Amino acid sequence: MRALFWCPWPNADEWLALLRQKGPELEFLISSEIDAPETIEAAIVWQPPSGLLERLSGLRCILVLGAGVDHLLAPGMRLPDVPLVRIVDPVMAERMASWVLAAVLFGHRQLDVYVRQQRERSWRRHAARDTADVRVGVLGLGAMGSACASRLAQVGYRVAGWSRTPKALAGIEGFTGSETWPSFLARSDFLICLLPLTPETRGILNARTFAALPEGAFVINAGRGGHLIESDLLSALDDDHLAGAVLDVFEEEPLPAQHPLWAHPKVLITPHIASITNPETGAEQIIAAMRAIRRGEMPPNTVDRRHHY
Ligand SMILES: NC(=O)c1ccc[n+]([C@@H]2O[C@H](COP(=O)([O-])OP(=O)(O)OC[C@H]3O[C@@H](n4cnc5c(N)ncnc54)[C@H](OP(=O)(O)O)[C@@H]3O)[C@@H](O)[C@H]2O)c1
């Protein structure tokens, strides 16, 4: 089986070497090496240019080098109608869980306030709520969201989760359906977005959502930049309804140097590092998916295109 490998990341060479090492019977080519596009049966990609995959007339599967497929299902991408497989990796879920826990602790224990005070050499104490009194709401209870919700519950937070279909997770209060949306928000001191970016979820972190959160709530986004209306967040922070935000993903990445989020005193920014794909385990999954396709089987973690995730 021949595969096109398209990866814009600085560690693309590491990925390619791992794929070749773990799948010695398979052939991996970068786009400039492809002489006969119709012989390519698999495309291993991240953010390929529009039109690249269309030219591969013999394509049997698209294997994404990460967890999210929104960049491939975006309007105008013209994706061939073949199985689209993403990486679902416990190593990535663990990475996300530690980032989310750090973000919640940052807000809960007011480290943002103390960082600001330290700059002013100011010794002022503030009361902090006990962990068991802090209510966290996790949007999305999939591979990432369920791991994060469970970790937060283990630590002692009062955790609820929001999903499209009902979920039964130990220690997590489940919310589903638009009629429960206001009560889910009203009980979320911390709102964490780990939804996939779809036509239904785009812009879900907006002024109406923020207004329905308790006074002094924190917003944490590690889903996609398209979930957040950045100007609505800035307004909700500036009028003191929200206490802070921790953001890992942005509508435009890298976040432009002049963007107001950079300098906002209530915002902590990380450069899309919450859960970077692990090349070692990711390459193993891609090879397993290619072998499944060759056997005529549907690989695990094939995206349901009707739901865009
Ligand atoms: N920042 C980073 O470094 C990083 C790294 C990896 C992933 N991500 C992002 O993290 C997000 C989650 O990834 P994942 O792998 O956990 O996704 P996933 O396994 O597909 O889970 C998605 C969850 O969202 C729920 N959902 C989808 N549409 C919904 C809707 N309209 N209303 C309510 N719930 C909805 C799903 O409900 P059901 O359970 O009912 O299907 C599911 O629980 C994605 O945006 C991904 O791109 C970010």
Side-chain angles (χ1 to χ4, degrees):
M1 191 179 221
R2 301 185 100 195
L4 161 71
F5 176 76
W6 177 278
C7 175
W9 299 333
N11 64 346
D13 288 347
E14 180 192 358
W15 272 95
L16 198 50
L18 281 167
L19 289 166
R20 287 179 171 144
Q21 177 201 326
K22 291 174 188 294
E25 80 282 19
L26 306 164
E27 198 181 347
F28 302 92
L29 306 168
I30 58 169
S31 58
S32 59
E33 292 170 331
I34 294 177
D35 43 7
E38 67 284 359
T39 64
I40 300 294
E41 292 180 282
I44 303 163
V45 295
W46 188 260
Q47 294 182 335
S50 175
L52 176 73
L53 303 183
E54 249 187 337
R55 287 191 281 120
L56 310 177
S57 57
L59 204 61
R60 294 170 66 190
C61 59
I62 301 168
L63 309 163
V64 187
L65 284 159
V69 293
D70 44 288
H71 57 284
L72 288 165
L73 297 179
M77 266 308 288
R78 301 193 309 273
L79 210 63
D81 189 17
V82 295
L84 174 60
V85 184
R86 69 192 190 103
I87 291 176
V88 176
D89 183 353
V91 174
M92 286 182 75
E94 167 54 35
R95 288 177 179 177
M96 184 62 85
S98 67
W99 184 90
V100 163
L101 178 60
V104 170
L105 285 167
F106 177 77
H108 167 205
R109 294 314 313 260
Q110 300 151 290
L111 298 185
D112 53 339
V113 175
Y114 293 116
V115 166
R116 288 198 294 272
Q117 284 190 195
Q118 186 177 345
R119 288 200 195 105
E120 296 156 12
R121 298 170 187 248
S122 163
W123 184 275
R124 277 186 297 139
R125 293 164 163 182
H126 308 280
R129 269 178 294 178
D130 289 326
T131 307
D133 295 331
V134 177
R135 301 161 301 173
V136 182
V138 181
L139 295 173
L141 289 175
M144 298 290 160
S146 61
C148 295
S150 298
R151 175 63 54 82
L152 291 161
Q154 279 161 14
V155 169
Y157 289 106
R158 280 166 59 189
V159 184
W162 168 265
S163 53
R164 195 176 53 79
T165 57
K167 293 276 164 304
L169 289 173
I172 315 294
E173 191 185 351
F175 287 75
T176 308
S178 53
E179 65 286 356
T180 68
W181 178 240
S183 48
F184 172 77
L185 294 176
R187 52 80 57 221
S188 295
D189 301 311
F190 285 78
L191 184 68
I192 302 168
C193 180
L194 287 165
L195 289 164
L197 185 61
T198 71
E200 274 181 36
T201 66
R202 178 171 283 283
I204 194 166
L205 301 177
N206 58 42
R208 269 184 301 141
T209 301
F210 301 146
L213 293 171
E215 190 85 29
F218 242 81
V219 170
I220 296 172
N221 189 19
R224 284 287 180 261
H227 287 126
L228 174 67
I229 309 294
E230 291 168 350
S231 53
D232 287 1
L233 176 70
L234 287 163
S235 303
L237 291 167
D238 288 340
D239 66 20
D240 280 339
H241 180 62
L242 294 181
V246 183
L247 307 174
D248 186 57
V249 287
F250 303 89
E251 188 74 78
E252 186 180 348
E253 294 182 8
L255 187 65
Q258 71 283 3
H259 198 291
L261 282 171
W262 276 119
H264 200 287
K266 291 179 168 178
V267 177
L268 177 68
I269 287 172
T270 56
H272 202 147
I273 47 73
S275 176
I276 289 170
T277 315
N278 178 30
E280 188 74 33
T281 46
E284 279 163 18
Q285 286 199 20
I286 287 170
I287 298 296
M290 288 175 72
R291 288 177 179 152
I293 292 282
R294 225 177 29 174
R295 289 193 301 270
E297 296 165 13
M298 191 63 96
N301 309 320
T302 299
V303 169
D304 181 345
R305 291 211 204 178
R306 286 170 310 166
H307 292 120
H308 300 266
Y309 71 95

